[in-house]
């Protein structure tokens, strides 16, 4: 029976990888500058052979310098946010938790705003500050949770709310003092989330924290099942709940901060994708986490492709994910209410 | 000797000791019933033994290893009271989770773990429920799942916190007999918190009565007397004896408050 379940999960994984590839290739082809499948194949083979002619130069530039980095980034961010959501929902035994629970997004947002204010959004300053403040926010949560004598889970969540509101206030302050013709719009657009300026540069910055976080979470995926049973069960089943929970928090923070740094705030993905994946592979986090990664990547690439093709001017992806995610979530909630 | 508690003391707030100078030991194949009034510290006692809580003074050892908070022992199988599970894991998954905590980070439970889970589910009599979700089960069924989960690591000491709470008579008898069989089949030791003296008399070799200032501990028949029930529970009782299937059975009827 487990063999069947395992087989089923392998099958699902294979199908998802196939879907991911198809989605990615389609996303490369569609856009303002349409590229045919035959041209695409020719460019790829010529590029591999090193015989790329001048006639294909524009197409090649679009593919390699614009679309591929953008798709890679969208996939990475989608996978990162989704697996973080799944892991945190399990760890905090609450299916309504999202990666933003611990204030990472507000922290990273503040870092980015600061970077845009003092460095005009150029160079490495914005992403680095964003990553740093994303991590600082969780250190602050750690500090608040450490000094509190209340139950650990509750104080971690409370710490998240406190840190989040402090950074939100600081973002408002930066917006208030920012130059309203250039800096203010830049900060506002950054907060809406977008892959429009994706480059290999961004991938370079975010790859290490996202990859490190995702691998860490994948290693912890079975232990998260135990965390979701509550601290008492968990500690008598052989793992230290406090240590394991902090490891999950660390890895999700790295992942989320890495994502927010390059994409801005993209809401709802980390909340909704885990719910979709539970419908596909069930609640066992051993299978849920890898599936979340794949489905998250597919979803993000799809939505990003829609975002850049729906109208002639690009729509910030954060707006689209919220517009799709919120009603979807309402539907799930409605169904739960009926059942429970 | 599997379990030894030496001079164990515990208090939640300073100056208000819950457990004072507890000392006893338990051998293979023995069952000990822990009894006492509500809120007297029965659950606290077993939480200290399994390492969920930390002894303020003294210590306890299981199979020669001291219990420590944050250092879970594979030799202890702990069965919590049946509680709601936040995600609807299947029964087999829940039983296999017993294995997960003691595996390395790189290992995932495999087919052999699931086969073992099936075997144990069969032993506790809920093989048919193996693909059900834990949230669809009744309290008694969930209790059996937790027992199976505790047994998957072949523990040397089984600890159960009021396992027969919320069960009807028939299921209580089934559960009590199951515990007795598991303990004698595997030659392990067992501590069970219970509110039912008649259950203790039926299966326990030793009894532990916990009072506000003191405790007594010893062979079940010597401990479970009308006098002790009056002293530790504040209830007048009457014990009577009869034979059933070549077994001497003692049972209590409770008459009135002191």
């Amino acid at each position: 029976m487990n063999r069947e379940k395992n087989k089923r999960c392998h099958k699902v994984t294979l199908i998802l990888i196939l879907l991911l590839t198809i989605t990615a290739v389609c996303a490369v082809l569609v856009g303002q500058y349409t590229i045919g499948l035959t041209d695409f194949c020719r460019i790829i083979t010529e590029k591999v052979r090193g015989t790329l002619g001048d006639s294909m130069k524009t197409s090649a530039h679009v593919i390699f310098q614009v679309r591929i980095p953008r798709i890679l980034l969208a996939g990475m961010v989608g996978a990162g946010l989704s697996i973080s959501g799944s892991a945190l929902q399990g760890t905090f035994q609450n299916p309504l938790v999202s990666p933003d629970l611990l204030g990472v997004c507000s922290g990273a947002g503040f870092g980015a705003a600061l970077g845009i204010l003092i460095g005009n959004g150029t160079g490495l300053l914005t992403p680095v500050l964003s990553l740093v403040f994303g991590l600082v926010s969780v250190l602050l949560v750690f500090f608040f949770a450490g000094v509190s004598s209340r139950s650990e889970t509750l104080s971690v969540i409370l710490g998240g709310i406190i840190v989040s509101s402090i950074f939100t206030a600081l973002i408002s302050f930066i917006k208030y003092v920012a130059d309203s013709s250039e800096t203010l719009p830049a900060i506002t657009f950054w907060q809406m989330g977008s892959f429009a300026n994706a480059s290999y540069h961004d991938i370079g910055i975010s790859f290490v924290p996202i990859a490190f976080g995702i691998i860490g979470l994948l290693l912890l995926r079975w232990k998260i099942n135990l965390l979701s049973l509550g601290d008492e069960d968990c500690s008598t089943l052989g793992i230290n709940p406090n240590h394991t929970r902090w490891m999950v928090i660390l890895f999700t923070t790295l992942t989320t901060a890495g994502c927010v740094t390059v994409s801005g705030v993209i809401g709802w993905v980390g909340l909704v994708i885990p719910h979709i994946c539970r419908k596909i592979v069930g609640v066992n986090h051993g299978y849920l986490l890898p599936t979340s990664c794949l489905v998250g990547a597919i979803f993000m690439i799809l939505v990003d492709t829609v975002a850049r093709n729906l109208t002639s001017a690009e729509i910030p992806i954060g707006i689209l994910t919220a517009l799709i995610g919120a009603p979807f979530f309402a539907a799930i909630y409605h169904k739960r209410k009926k059942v429970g | 000797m599997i379990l030894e508690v030496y001079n164990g003391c515990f208090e939640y707030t300073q100056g208000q000791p819950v457990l004072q100078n507890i000392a006893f030991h338990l051998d293979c194949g023995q069952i000990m019933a822990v009894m006492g009034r509500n809120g007297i510290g029965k659950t606290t006692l077993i939480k200290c033994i399994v390492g969920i809580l930390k002894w303020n003074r003294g210590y306890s050892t299981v199979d020669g290893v001291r219990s420590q908070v944050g250092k879970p022992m594979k030799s202890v199988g702990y069965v919590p009271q049946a509680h709601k599970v936040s995600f609807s894991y299947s029964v087999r998954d829940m039983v296999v989770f017993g294995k997960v905590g003691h595996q390395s980070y790189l290992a995932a439970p495999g087919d052999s773990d699931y086969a073992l889970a099936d075997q144990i589910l069969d032993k506790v009599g809920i093989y048919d429920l193996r693909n059900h979700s834990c949230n669809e089960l009744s309290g008694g069924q969930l209790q059996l799942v937790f027992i199976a989960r505790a047994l998957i690591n072949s523990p040397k000491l089984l600890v159960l916190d009021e396992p027969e709470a919320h069960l009807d008579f028939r299921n209580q008898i089934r559960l009590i007999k199951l515990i007795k069989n598991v303990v004698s089949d595997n030659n392990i030791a067992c501590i069970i918190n219970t509110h039912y003296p008649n259950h203790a008399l039926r299966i326990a070799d030793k009894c532990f009565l916990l009072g506000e200032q003191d405790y007594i501990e010893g062979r079940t028949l010597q401990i479970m007397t009308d006098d002790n029930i009056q002293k530790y529970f504040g209830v007048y009782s009457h014990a009577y004896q009869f034979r059933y299937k070549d077994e001497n059975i003692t049972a209590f009827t409770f008459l009135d408050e002191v």
Side-chain angles (χ1 to χ4, degrees):
Chain A
M1 165 49 209
N2 177 52
R3 193 163 282 148
E4 280 164 36
K5 167 105 193 180
N6 244 333
K7 252 189 194 162
R8 207 179 90 82
C9 285
H10 285 159
K11 219 162 141 191
V12 169
T13 312
L14 273 179
I15 293 172
L16 287 175
I17 290 174
L18 198 70
L19 265 178
L20 179 60
T21 321
I22 295 170
T23 317
V25 170
C26 291
V28 172
L29 303 182
V30 230
Q32 305 281 326
Y33 185 95
T34 317
I35 297 162
L37 191 59
T38 42
D39 283 352
F40 173 70
C41 294
R42 229 181 93 194
I43 291 169
I44 294 291
T45 43
E46 284 183 8
K47 176 88 179 172
V48 171
R49 286 189 197 139
T51 56
L52 198 60
D54 275 354
S55 59
M56 288 290 176
K57 217 151 193 181
T58 326
S59 301
H61 180 81
V62 169
I63 290 175
F64 292 109
Q65 297 307 319
V66 181
R67 290 197 187 150
I68 287 186
R70 183 168 183 158
I71 288 160
L72 283 177
L73 205 65
M76 265 165 53
V77 169
L81 290 177
S82 304
I83 195 176
S84 299
S86 291
L88 285 179
Q89 288 177 5
T91 303
F92 289 96
Q93 302 171 47
N94 188 339
L96 302 181
V97 161
S98 74
D100 195 25
L101 176 74
L102 302 169
V104 188
C105 293
S106 331
F110 169 72
L114 194 64
I116 294 170
L117 181 73
I118 57 182
N120 295 320
T122 50
L124 276 174
L125 191 65
T126 308
V128 168
L129 275 179
S130 166
L131 190 63
V132 167
F133 277 99
L135 298 176
V136 164
S137 70
V138 162
L139 287 182
L140 286 175
V141 171
F142 189 85
F143 173 73
F144 282 122
V147 293
S148 158
S149 60
R150 301 192 60 135
S151 104
E152 173 132 342
T153 304
L154 206 69
S155 48
V156 166
I157 293 173
L158 204 62
I161 294 171
I162 294 170
V163 171
S164 208
S165 54
I166 291 174
F167 278 121
T168 310
L170 289 176
I171 294 174
S172 298
F173 179 73
I174 289 187
K175 280 175 155 178
Y176 181 70
V177 297
D179 167 20
S180 60
S181 64
E182 276 178 30
T183 321
L184 182 59
I187 295 173
T188 311
F189 283 131
W190 186 91
Q191 282 189 310
M192 289 176 188
S194 173
F195 294 108
N197 300 316
S199 64
Y200 288 110
H201 205 78
D202 291 331
I203 295 179
I205 291 165
S206 60
F207 181 77
V208 173
I210 294 180
F212 191 72
I214 288 180
I215 291 170
L217 290 175
L218 285 177
L219 290 180
L220 286 171
R221 66 192 197 278
W222 281 93
K223 315 283 178 198
I224 290 171
N225 285 324
L226 302 192
L227 274 179
S228 76
L229 301 175
D231 281 10
E232 256 174 41
D233 277 32
C234 180
S235 64
T236 55
L237 287 174
I239 64 171
N240 184 323
N242 291 341
H243 291 179
T244 316
R245 185 164 38 235
W246 278 113
M247 283 206 284
V248 172
I249 290 175
L250 177 78
F251 288 131
T252 51
T253 304
L254 274 175
T255 312
T256 313
C259 293
V260 176
T261 297
V262 288
S263 69
V265 181
I266 299 179
W268 292 95
V269 176
L271 184 62
V272 173
I273 298 296
H275 284 272
I276 298 176
C277 295
R278 279 194 199 96
K279 298 259 183 279
I280 305 174
V281 288
V283 288
N284 188 334
H285 294 82
Y287 305 114
L288 180 66
L289 262 59
T291 312
S292 298
C293 262
L294 291 169
V295 174
I298 294 171
F299 177 82
M300 194 65 99
I301 294 173
L302 268 179
V303 177
D304 183 48
T305 310
V306 172
R308 65 188 160 89
N309 286 307
L310 203 59
T311 57
S312 54
E314 189 172 323
I315 306 170
I317 190 169
I319 296 176
L320 275 186
T321 54
L323 281 179
I324 298 170
F328 182 82
F329 201 70
I332 291 177
Y333 183 74
H334 186 67
K335 219 172 154 194
R336 274 173 82 90
K337 228 163 123 187
K338 261 193 201 156
V339 173
Chain B
M1 193 163 67
I2 290 295
L3 171 70
E4 185 183 16
V5 179
Y6 178 78
N7 198 25
C9 301
F10 183 83
E11 53 192 30
Y12 285 104
T13 43
Q14 216 166 16
Q16 292 172 323
V18 180
L19 304 171
Q20 289 185 78
N21 302 321
I22 308 282
F24 66 88
H25 63 88
L26 208 55
D27 293 321
C28 293
Q30 282 190 324
I31 298 176
M32 173 187 260
V34 177
M35 279 182 286
R37 292 191 216 177
N38 283 129
I40 207 86
K42 298 187 298 294
T43 305
T44 308
L45 173 65
I46 59 171
K47 281 185 178 171
C48 287
I49 289 172
V50 301
I52 295 175
L53 295 173
K54 185 180 185 302
W55 293 108
N56 292 127
R57 248 179 307 129
Y59 62 86
S60 59
T61 63
V62 179
D63 203 22
V65 182
R66 277 200 196 196
S67 33
Q68 266 178 298
V69 173
K71 286 259 175 68
M73 290 177 288
K74 213 177 167 182
S75 51
V76 180
Y78 176 70
V79 182
Q81 290 193 23
H83 58 80
K84 210 175 152 13
V85 183
S86 46
F87 292 97
S88 50
Y89 297 117
S90 79
V91 167
R92 302 174 86 235
D93 277 342
M94 185 57 90
V95 176
V96 165
F97 289 167
K99 276 270 178 201
V100 170
H102 297 285
Q103 283 172 333
S104 85
Y105 288 109
L106 292 171
D111 288 343
S112 60
D113 295 315
Y114 277 91
L116 185 61
D118 285 348
Q119 214 180 318
I120 289 167
L121 283 170
D122 189 37
K123 203 195 277 175
V124 301
I126 47 169
Y127 183 74
D128 294 341
L129 296 174
R130 68 193 188 287
N131 290 324
H132 284 240
S133 147
C134 283
N135 286 337
E136 294 168 1
L137 304 183
S138 69
Q141 290 167 332
L142 192 57
Q143 192 73 62
L144 291 174
V145 175
F146 287 162
I147 291 178
R149 186 179 73 183
L151 290 175
I152 198 167
N153 282 318
S154 331
K156 300 227 167 82
L157 173 70
L158 188 63
V159 181
L160 301 103
D161 192 6
E162 294 184 22
E164 72 288 54
H166 319 299
L167 300 193
D168 64 35
F169 304 142
R170 186 158 173 266
N171 282 321
Q172 285 184 1
I173 289 292
R174 280 168 82 173
L175 187 84
I176 287 295
K177 284 172 87 174
L178 172 74
I179 292 169
K180 189 165 181 144
N181 288 337
V182 163
V183 169
S184 65
D185 288 353
N186 301 309
N187 196 32
I188 59 177
C190 172
I191 295 185
I192 167 173
N193 266 0
T194 178
H195 279 299
Y196 299 91
N198 293 341
H199 291 165
L201 285 159
R202 198 76 192 272
I203 64 164
D205 303 284
K206 292 174 114 181
C207 269
F208 186 105
L209 288 186
L210 188 58
E212 262 174 54
Q213 305 298 330
D214 60 344
Y215 69 91
I216 49 168
E217 173 264 335
R219 296 247 140 230
T220 303
L221 280 176
Q222 284 150 20
I223 297 293
M224 295 308 291
T225 60
D226 288 332
D227 285 347
N228 279 335
I229 285 189
Q230 187 183 331
K231 183 176 173 203
Y232 285 93
F233 292 89
V235 168
Y236 294 118
S237 63
H238 178 71
Y240 49 97
Q241 278 151 355
F242 55 93
R243 278 189 78 74
Y244 172 74
K245 286 188 181 170
D246 297 330
E247 204 182 335
N248 277 321
I249 295 207
T250 307
F252 282 92
T253 316
F254 305 104
L255 304 168
D256 215 341
E257 277 183 84
V258 173

